Amino acid sequence: MAEFYVWFVFAHLAGLVLFAISHGASAFMAFRLRSAPDAPTARAILAMGQLSITPMYIGLLLLIIGGLGAAFAGDLWGRPWLIASVIVFIAVLLVMWIVASPYYMRLRKSLEEPAPDAATTMTWDDVKVQLDTRRPEVLLSVGTIGLLLLVWLMVIKPGG
């Protein structure tokens, strides 16, 4: 299995690049969304952000498979830096999911075209209140700090 180590590392890094590029598109969407002038524009921005989800998850899958494969092929399990990397990775994923998913699902629901027989609809002013949030900054901070910590752990390898 050791002969595959370098290929697993390559898959891990290729996944990271694909994930970061795709996720970056979503991040820009999150910041642009707050300044949308109307509901159709907000819907279009959210739709553009949705386009990055499939490649983002493909990148995430490559990143995970490559990382796990490299850990096994390189006999790295038990190393403090690797254990810390897994913990940081899971923590960042959880925080991102907990902070982002419910918010953007609710926002997409609020921006849906109302059914012709709908009794109540959300106004654009109601949606603007939802858009007035610091979630993009929280997500950017958690993601950036988490990524920098992961890069530090994998380059410096504290604890051997």
Side-chain angles (χ1 to χ4, degrees):
M1 187 95 161
E3 62 271 11
F4 294 111
Y5 175 78
V6 83
W7 289 106
F8 283 123
V9 171
F10 176 78
H12 184 63
L13 294 174
L16 173 63
V17 169
L18 181 58
F19 179 80
I21 289 169
S22 301
H23 209 44
S26 264
F28 282 107
M29 174 276 308
F31 284 99
R32 176 64 179 94
L33 192 57
R34 288 192 297 211
S35 61
D38 53 37
T41 303
R43 275 189 220 98
I45 293 169
L46 280 171
M48 289 296 292
Q50 284 285 104
L51 293 175
S52 70
I53 289 186
T54 298
M56 180 188 72
Y57 281 123
I58 291 169
L60 184 61
L61 186 62
L62 264 174
L63 188 150
I64 291 169
I65 291 170
L68 291 174
F72 282 110
D75 195 27
L76 300 171
W77 285 110
R79 306 268 173 102
W81 66 269
L82 185 89
I83 294 167
S85 295
V86 170
I87 291 168
V88 168
F89 180 73
I90 291 170
V92 168
L93 282 179
L94 283 173
V95 168
M96 299 292 261
W97 183 74
I98 289 167
V99 172
S101 293
Y103 172 72
Y104 287 106
M105 283 187 240
R106 187 174 60 250
L107 190 57
R108 280 186 184 84
K109 184 81 174 152
S110 297
L111 284 165
E112 285 177 355
E113 291 284 347
D117 60 345
T120 60
T121 59
M122 292 211 46
T123 66
W124 177 239
D125 287 334
D126 296 332
V127 174
K128 285 195 304 189
V129 169
Q130 284 182 320
L131 291 172
D132 187 22
T133 178
R134 298 281 69 101
R135 282 178 197 259
E137 287 85 358
V138 169
L139 295 167
L140 180 64
S141 299
V142 169
T144 301
I145 292 167
L147 181 59
L148 290 174
L149 184 54
L150 286 167
V151 169
W152 179 80
L153 285 164
M154 292 188 184
V155 171
I156 305 301
K157 296 177 176 39

